[in-house]
Amino acid sequence: MAEEILSFEGVGFRYSDPSGREETAALQDFNLSLMAGESVAVVGESGSGKTTLSRLAAGILRGGDGVIRLDGKDFGRFTRRDWREMRREVQLVLQSPSAAIRPRMKIGAFLREPFLCYRLCPRGEVERETARLLERVGLPESVKSRRPGELSGGELQRVMIARALAVKPRLLICDEPTSALDPAVQGEVAALLKQAQRETGAAMLLITHDLALASRMADRVVVLYQGNTLEVLPAGDLKNALHPYTRALLGAIFTLSGGGEPPAKGEPYSGQSLCPYFGRCPQREESCRTKGKVLLTVAEEHLSACWKNI
Ligand SMILES: Nc1ncnc2c1ncn2[C@@H]1O[C@H](COP(=O)(O)OP(=O)(O)OP(=O)(O)O)[C@@H](O)[C@H]1O
Ligand SMILES: [Mg+2]
């Protein structure tokens, strides 16, 4: 059996506004176990809590409820050394690569950094290793002498992937890795990430609002709505999703043959009903007020929070 890399148990997070009076529950009772080599996509509309989840997983955001474990060790018990090690084992690929690199730094220096910082190879081999990385992500060695502003968004994202691969990560956290790119380049970068994940055997937590990308990149998909998990299913079964919200998201995918309708708007979640999607659900019934929100097994490896799916 594959070993567990990352796990969330009852994880919740609230942001409070500077006055401390108002709070936003960005994530509630989140549970997930990510195995070595597995790729899990977390999907949902804007504001559903995806980035909050990725920042918690990366240890950038701390505090909150529940337990997050990396290799079985609770973040709450991490020593400085554990955090340092984590910085190496867990690599992030974010939406906006330009934010992760200083504008005046040359790409060569940026790629050399992890080799020097973690002493990944003898100094004399660093140039060869960085050239090899660039080749892996399909870029010429000549980009080493350029600065970030002299590369396209797609090229810069390839540089980010190259740097993430340098340390042979065990977990890749990718938050909207392709959404800032031109559609033609999105597919290439997605394919590169998938290939890199396969080759390294790293686990992947992919954060995206794009269901097509999720089905292409992931083994499993978790659907978040206002911080609540509404459905978990194998990515290959996404077209057979059962929860009304996931079905609405699928209906919102724009294709040339139709679609593109956003999920129906309705009352926002008031907290009075148990089902978080109650206010917007086209299939709601009065009894949804008293049932809901608990994830139920509806098929093998398929969970839904809608009681009507059983
Ligand atoms: N620093 C913050 N302070 C206060 N509230 C925040 C903060 N960051 C996020 N939130 C709120 O938490 C909720 C979840 O935000 P989050 O960024 O995790 O959503 P998301 O799913 O990543 O959205 P998007 O698809 O737009 O990136 C939202 O209601 C958001 O307004
Ligand atoms: Mg986000």
Side-chain angles (χ1 to χ4, degrees):
M1 227 183 85
E3 58 179 320
E4 184 183 85
I5 300 283
L6 181 73
S7 73
F8 299 84
E9 264 173 50
V11 173
F13 193 86
R14 290 171 177 277
Y15 294 98
S16 43
D17 78 350
S19 71
R21 258 175 273 133
E22 249 181 75
E23 284 201 328
T24 308
L27 194 67
Q28 299 186 52
D29 192 22
F30 185 82
N31 296 284
L32 179 71
S33 174
L34 185 63
M35 311 306 273
E38 189 187 22
S39 170
V40 170
V42 178
V43 303
E45 291 168 297
S46 182
S48 55
K50 305 181 299 294
T51 294
T52 303
L53 176 68
S54 73
R55 291 169 68 85
L56 285 167
I60 299 167
L61 205 58
R62 298 192 198 165
D65 306 322
V67 179
I68 305 175
R69 289 194 177 87
L70 184 71
D71 288 327
K73 191 162 184 185
D74 180 348
F75 276 9
R77 292 171 175 271
F78 264 33
T79 59
R80 279 183 150 201
R81 194 185 160 151
D82 290 328
W83 285 117
R84 210 177 317 125
E85 216 159 281
M86 179 185 177
R87 295 275 162 261
R88 174 176 163 180
E89 294 191 329
V90 178
Q91 291 294 308
L92 302 171
V93 178
L94 304 176
Q95 177 171 357
S96 168
S98 51
I101 173 167
R102 291 194 296 280
R104 299 203 51 75
M105 191 176 207
K106 288 195 177 160
I107 304 302
F110 182 68
L111 289 176
R112 278 192 290 276
E113 252 180 5
F115 287 97
L116 300 174
C117 177
Y118 299 116
R119 300 200 181 121
L120 300 176
C121 67
R123 270 183 176 264
E125 289 173 23
V126 172
E127 281 317 305
R128 203 174 56 216
E129 289 297 326
T130 51
R132 211 177 273 164
L133 277 179
L134 285 169
E135 195 187 335
R136 257 174 99 183
V137 299
L139 289 174
E141 198 179 350
S142 58
V143 300
K144 280 184 181 174
S145 60
R146 294 203 230 159
R147 296 181 208 279
E150 295 161 353
L151 264 67
S152 72
E155 286 166 341
L156 205 50
Q157 197 60 305
R158 284 172 189 270
V159 169
M160 293 297 144
I161 296 170
R163 176 158 153 150
L165 293 181
V167 296
K168 301 190 173 65
R170 301 187 56 228
L171 171 62
L172 284 167
I173 300 177
C174 307
D175 190 347
E176 305 281 8
T178 61
S179 29
L181 307 175
D182 168 319
V185 182
Q186 280 181 356
E188 289 170 19
V189 170
L192 176 65
L193 258 179
K194 187 70 203 160
Q195 186 193 341
Q197 187 235 338
R198 281 220 187 93
E199 281 174 13
T200 55
M204 182 188 282
L205 183 66
L206 169 70
I207 305 294
T208 178
H209 65 273
D210 181 345
L211 268 74
L213 183 74
S215 79
R216 183 171 162 193
M217 301 270 287
D219 303 308
R220 268 193 296 158
V221 176
V222 176
V223 182
L224 271 190
Y225 177 76
Q226 294 187 3
N228 294 279
T229 305
L230 294 189
E231 192 160 11
V232 182
L233 74 170
D237 291 346
L238 203 48
K239 58 183 179 308
N240 303 321
L242 292 171
H243 196 285
Y245 176 61
T246 318
R247 300 229 46 89
L249 285 180
L250 284 169
I253 297 178
F254 179 79
T255 63
L256 286 178
S257 56
E261 287 301 316
K265 294 280 178 220
E267 310 160 29
Y269 177 37
S270 64
Q272 286 162 354
S273 56
L274 265 178
C275 174
Y277 192 52
F278 183 84
R280 285 171 69 179
C281 184
Q283 292 166 32
R284 69 184 172 196
E285 292 177 14
E286 264 318 292
S287 44
C288 299
R289 287 191 185 274
T290 51
K291 300 175 179 178
K293 169 142 158 172
V294 178
L295 280 169
L296 306 160
T297 302
V298 291
E300 205 184 334
E301 295 184 55
H302 188 164
L303 306 170
S304 169
C306 180
W307 64 275
K308 294 169 84 176
N309 292 157
I310 302 178

